[in-house]
């Protein structure tokens, strides 16, 4: 069996509505969403220290909505993690709040250039995604699945969908997508079926037609993560989604309980452990071990994934 890659994923409790995650895999640290609160700051600093990094390789933002990228928090987040690359949503902000986030990102880029750093700013537009290589040719690289076109009627459907594939277990980030058509398209992906271990529930676990029995049965993630504020006034995830997850035997962990940490379990093993903490503490609420889908595929050699997906058309950086 191939050597396990040190991998850590964390979903942060914010204390307010919204989403914040980080992923460390193959020596790279990614912050997912432009959020930072007093609840999450200490935990994010701990993750960076625990992973031995001084800055983030990437800040990946799925949506311009304030619960995914908050202009009142973004400046402090950028100063804290100093990303070398920022991946922005591929649609134009439709609010002053989103425009403010773009201005902060532009100012950050200018300041970093003066400090002899050259951050890359990528807008993940349909044109950008269409120009990427086949995911099957990039078996160990992250893969983008949305947006393939812009939805003028529903901005949520322009959220970025990204499959993080560099670690010992793979994480599927779905942003706020809600279209049944997008759900059906993702359901047809052989790569997502074979490699999705952890799924971040779309739109915080809303019951909007995207998260269906068919999608969950096809992708069959081992663990679903719901980003929910502590008081959970939006009742996420919805009871209908909880029931679907239960029917499919998919474990659910939520930041309503506390931070969720998912970590690889050492050399030459395809096991990873998920821990749900209690509130803003290190006390454990629940824990469970899983086996990575990719670990079984790669038990013979590292070319197996490329051979498996030869000729399959999807997109990846």
């Amino acid at each position: 069996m191939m050597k396990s890659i040190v991998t850590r994923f964390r979903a942060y409790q914010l204390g307010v509505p919204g989403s914040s995650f980080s992923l460390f895999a193959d020596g790279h640290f990614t912050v997912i969403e432009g959020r930072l609160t007093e609840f999450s700051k200490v935990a994010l600093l701990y993750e960076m220290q625990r992973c031995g990094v001084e800055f983030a390789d990437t800040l990946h933002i799925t949506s311009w909505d304030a619960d995914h990228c908050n202009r009142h928090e973004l400046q402090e987040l950028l100063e804290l993690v100093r990303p070398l690359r920022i991946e922005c949503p591929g649609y134009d902000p439709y609010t002053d709040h989103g425009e403010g986030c773009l201005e902060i990102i532009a100012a950050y880029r200018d300041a970093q250039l003066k400090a002899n750093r050259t951050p890359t700013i990528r807008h993940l537009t349909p044109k950008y995604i269409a120009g990427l290589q086949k995911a099957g040719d990039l078996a160990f690289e992250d893969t983008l699945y949305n947006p393939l076109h812009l939805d003028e009627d529903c901005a949520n459907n322009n959220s970025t969908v990204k499959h993080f594939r560099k670690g010992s277990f793979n994480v599927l980030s779905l942003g706020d997508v809600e279209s049944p058509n997008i759900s059906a398209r993702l359901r047809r992906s052989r790569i997502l079926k074979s490699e999705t271990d952890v799924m971040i529930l779309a739109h915080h676990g809303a019951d909007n037609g995207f998260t269906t029995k068919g999608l969950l049965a096809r992708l069959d993630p081992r663990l679903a993560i719901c980003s929910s504020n502590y008081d959970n006034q939006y009742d996420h995830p919805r009871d209908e989604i909880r029931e679907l997850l239960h029917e499919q035997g998919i474990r659910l962990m939520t930041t309503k309980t506390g931070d969720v940490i998912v970590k690889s379990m050492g050399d030459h093993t395809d096991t990873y452990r998920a821990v749900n903490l209690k509130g803003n503490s290190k006390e454990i609420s629940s824990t469970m071990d899983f086996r990575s889908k990719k670990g079984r595929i790669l038990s013979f050699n590292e070319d197996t994934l490329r051979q498996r997906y030869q000729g399959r058309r999807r997109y990846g950086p």
Side-chain angles (χ1 to χ4, degrees), residues 93-107:
Y94 54 90
T95 65
D96 291 341
H97 191 99
E99 290 286 355
C101 289
L102 268 179
E103 293 173 2
I104 291 170
I105 290 171

Side-chain angles (χ1 to χ4, degrees), residues 158-313:
N158 299 324
S159 291
T160 304
V161 171
K162 187 168 183 177
H163 196 204
F164 294 90
R165 306 170 70 200
K166 292 182 178 179
S168 294
F169 56 86
N170 291 354
V171 178
L172 178 61
S173 169
L174 293 165
D176 272 348
V177 289
E178 57 184 68
S179 167
N181 291 333
I182 297 175
S183 178
R185 172 163 56 81
L186 298 180
R187 192 168 67 237
R188 292 192 292 269
S189 169
R190 185 183 180 191
I191 294 175
L192 291 179
K193 177 182 185 297
S194 298
E195 293 186 43
T196 300
D197 298 299
V198 179
M199 174 190 284
I200 301 174
L201 289 174
H203 208 164
H204 317 282
D207 182 26
N208 53 22
F210 177 87
T211 304
T212 63
K213 180 178 180 179
L215 178 73
L216 295 176
R218 171 70 176 176
L219 269 54
D220 190 29
R222 302 296 184 251
L223 174 67
I225 304 290
C226 176
S227 54
S228 170
N229 68 300
Y230 186 78
D231 292 330
N232 203 22
Q233 67 259 38
Y234 297 110
D235 195 25
H236 290 155
R238 300 291 296 180
D239 287 342
E240 295 85 353
I241 302 302
R242 288 179 179 271
E243 291 174 6
L244 286 176
L245 293 170
H246 178 73
E247 290 173 3
Q248 297 302 315
I250 301 168
R251 183 65 181 267
L252 169 67
M253 290 187 175
T254 170
T255 56
K256 178 184 179 182
T257 304
D259 284 13
V260 179
I261 300 171
V262 188
K263 55 187 178 181
S264 56
M265 294 302 292
D267 289 350
H268 305 293
T269 176
D270 57 4
T271 302
Y272 59 98
R273 177 168 295 167
V275 178
N276 209 165
L277 300 179
K278 287 185 178 179
N280 190 23
S281 73
K282 295 182 180 180
E283 189 176 355
I284 294 175
S285 172
S286 61
T287 182
M288 179 169 283
D289 290 349
F290 304 89
R291 292 189 63 194
S292 167
K293 294 181 181 180
K294 185 166 59 177
R296 293 196 300 274
I297 297 172
L298 295 175
S299 60
F300 297 103
N301 62 72
E302 296 188 4
D303 290 328
T304 307
L305 279 183
R306 293 185 181 91
Q307 296 169 0
R308 184 182 182 94
Y309 302 136
Q310 189 67 35
R312 297 281 175 172
R313 178 65 175 171

Side-chain angles (χ1 to χ4, degrees), residues 3-18:
K3 186 175 181 179
S4 176
I5 297 171
V6 176
T7 309
R8 283 180 65 91
F9 169 84
R10 187 164 188 148
Y12 297 90
Q13 186 179 74
L14 295 174
V16 294

